[in-house]
Amino acid sequence: ENSDIEDDDDEPPVSDLTYHMIEFWATFVFSVLECVSLASTPKSLSRIYENPIFLKLMMFFNVIATLVPALLVSLNIEQFEILSHEIEYINELTM
């Protein structure tokens, strides 16, 4: 009876691919929502930030830096998992 419970603990609730797909695509969706919320603010970006062009570039970089890892993991997780995580870590500098 207890051995059945122990066996269930060894298996993850979702596959590695499913976990990484959710992780990377959720990060991408969050970055898009972040851009939408910044772009749709009632105040103009020039009133909020001294350099709105720099902010737009950072928003663009943020979306690209979350889209690329999501696409790479979707294409081939075994080949691109480490690279995708590294890109995601670098992107943390923009946040």
Side-chain angles (χ1 to χ4, degrees), residues 9-21:
D9 290 340
D10 293 340
E11 292 184 32
V14 295
S15 70
D16 194 43
L17 177 63
T18 303
Y19 173 79
H20 281 89
M21 293 287 280

Side-chain angles (χ1 to χ4, degrees), residues 15-30:
S15 70
D16 194 43
L17 177 63
T18 303
Y19 173 79
H20 281 89
M21 293 287 280
I22 292 170
E23 175 190 9
F24 285 103
W25 284 107
T27 303
F28 170 70
V29 169
F30 178 78

